Amino acid sequence: MSNLQFDRHRRLRMTSALRDLVRETAVTKDDLIYPVFAVEGYDTKNEVPSMPGVYQYSLDLLKEEIDDVVERGIKAILLFGVPAHKDEVGSNAYAENGIVQRAIRELKIRHPELTIIADTCLCQFTDHGHCGIIEEGHILNDRSLDLLTKTAVSQAEAGADVIAPSNMMDGFVTAIRHGLDEAGFVNVPLMSYAVKYASAFYGPFRDAAHSSPSFGDRRTYQMDPANREEALREAASDNREGADFLIVKPALSYLDVVRDVRAEFNRPVVAYNVSGEYAMIKAAAAQGWLDEKETVMEKLTSMKRAGADVIVTYFAKDAARWIDEG
């Protein structure tokens, strides 16, 4: 055996201190964005049935939830709104006193240092559950851009720090960027859902946001999961049109795309660890089939290793605690 020549890689794994010393990738609390759901009403806290530990909060209780988020050291939230009233054009998405606009104003007073990212879409607010205007069963791309821009401007007026358009209409980045600039919000960045697949992993989110389409599906505007090169075309358009961040959604099944976008574009890349990915781990952990902490941190680390600068995850509060525990 003494004549064998081989590399001894294990030398750098022999102690915990050595492993820490040579670790290439680390998830920190600064990497995390926590999604939250605001609903109308008072003293309301509804657990999402398919997402244990995730709730819809009325504004009075949302403030307490965000107190806890900030205390844990999380510096950014992604805000979704669930309105009491829906109509065919999603008018509550851009109403001055809409649920999202009120939530932004109240949270900014309470936590001015918190970065509030406003999801900008119509699906939670339309009675048909699609992300744009419908005519004869078709989603009208260009007419939808006007309402999406109106929504983004109203969110910026309420005090949103970042606008995150998730609708996947063609041209949504340039339309919203021009709208924000014309309204005087030239310094409000866009976190574009640049690469958003028509994924089976969104099911639990639709429970949380009450946003399931009443007919058909979203495959005419969300991407085919089989396509990789198309993702780069989508991201290139958004990059050219003025996006400041590029989101890849979902994350776990699309780490190759996260890596591609990271390599191609000099923009912060956001991996969205979606609701189905969350629900699977929660279900397996509840059965004792997985160690939740170890699995979650391995998963988040894989997203950072693939090239994500930022991670949107429902595990953000838990991850922050685990990071503090070392």
Side-chain angles (χ1 to χ4, degrees):
M1 294 292 289
S2 61
N3 293 326
L4 294 179
Q5 299 295 318
F6 54 86
D7 296 323
R8 293 192 178 273
H9 300 289
R10 291 182 58 203
R11 286 174 180 155
L12 299 182
R13 304 174 191 153
M14 299 311 294
T15 68
S16 176
L18 273 173
R19 292 191 295 272
D20 290 346
L21 191 65
V22 300
R23 183 165 294 125
E24 300 172 18
T25 305
V27 177
T28 74
K29 290 189 283 187
D30 290 340
D31 301 326
L32 305 175
I33 297 172
Y34 185 52
V36 295
F37 298 90
V39 296
E40 301 284 2
Y42 182 78
D43 194 28
T44 300
K45 181 180 178 180
N46 302 322
E47 187 170 31
V48 180
S50 52
M51 299 178 71
V54 174
Y55 298 86
Q56 302 168 330
Y57 294 96
S58 56
L59 295 187
D60 55 314
L61 298 185
L62 180 63
K63 295 175 189 176
E64 297 177 6
E65 169 69 359
I66 300 306
D67 289 347
D68 182 49
V69 169
V70 171
E71 186 174 343
R72 291 173 188 256
I74 298 169
K75 298 178 181 178
I77 63 169
L78 177 58
L79 178 63
F80 297 92
V82 183
H85 170 73
K86 303 186 179 192
D87 57 36
E88 63 181 5
V89 293
S91 59
N92 270 318
Y94 44 85
E96 181 179 356
N97 289 316
I99 183 64
V100 170
Q101 288 77 4
R102 292 185 354 251
I104 293 169
R105 286 194 292 268
E106 294 189 24
L107 292 177
K108 288 306 288 186
I109 291 172
R110 195 176 184 96
H111 294 289
E113 76 289 355
L114 179 69
T115 296
I116 298 180
I117 305 164
D119 179 81
T120 305
C121 197
L122 300 177
C123 60
Q124 301 103 291
F125 300 91
T126 57
D127 53 15
H128 47 72
H130 281 285
C131 303
I133 296 174
I134 301 293
E135 188 174 284
E136 297 180 355
H138 297 285
I139 295 91
L140 302 183
N141 191 95
D142 295 9
R143 284 179 56 191
S144 299
L145 295 179
D146 294 335
L147 296 186
L148 293 164
T149 300
K150 191 174 180 180
T151 300
V153 170
S154 74
Q155 292 169 339
E157 288 174 341
D161 299 287
V162 181
I163 298 299
S166 60
N167 54 87
M168 289 297 285
M169 296 294 109
D170 290 337
F172 71 92
V173 171
T174 190
I176 291 173
R177 183 71 270 162
H178 278 87
L180 289 172
D181 291 351
E182 289 175 1
F185 298 106
V186 295
N187 292 322
V188 173
L190 286 182
M191 181 180 285
S192 169
Y193 285 69
V195 181
K196 184 177 180 181
Y197 286 92
S199 173
F201 288 100
Y202 300 154
F205 173 86
R206 291 168 185 166
D207 286 344
H210 298 172
S211 62
S212 295
S214 61
F215 67 92
D217 54 38
R218 297 182 177 135
R219 294 181 184 274
T220 66
Y221 45 102
Q222 294 179 357
M223 282 182 49
D224 186 336
N227 293 355
R228 181 178 177 183
E229 293 182 3
E230 183 185 7
L232 293 178
R233 296 198 298 273
E234 288 276 3
S237 293
D238 290 4
N239 182 61
R240 184 172 58 250
E241 293 171 11
D244 299 285
F245 299 79
L246 300 172
I247 297 178
V248 177
K249 180 182 181 184
L252 197 58
S253 293
Y254 300 90
L255 293 180
D256 58 327
V257 178
V258 173
R259 169 53 63 187
D260 288 344
V261 173
R262 168 73 286 150
E264 189 73 18
F265 303 104
N266 188 25
R267 298 283 186 189
V269 176
V270 183
Y272 199 135
N273 177 208
V274 299
S275 59
E277 297 167 350
Y278 173 89
M280 287 192 304
I281 291 179
K282 279 291 187 182
Q287 293 294 326
W289 296 337
L290 291 175
D291 180 291
E292 183 173 345
K293 173 183 175 180
E294 294 294 330
T295 304
V296 170
M297 294 310 295
E298 179 179 341
K299 179 179 68 168
L300 299 181
T301 300
S302 76
M303 296 171 194
K304 283 293 297 290
R305 192 184 64 246
D309 301 285
V310 185
I311 302 170
V312 179
T313 178
Y314 300 95
F315 284 111
K317 290 205 303 179
D318 291 328
R321 183 179 76 253
W322 295 328
I323 289 167
D324 284 339
E325 292 171 355

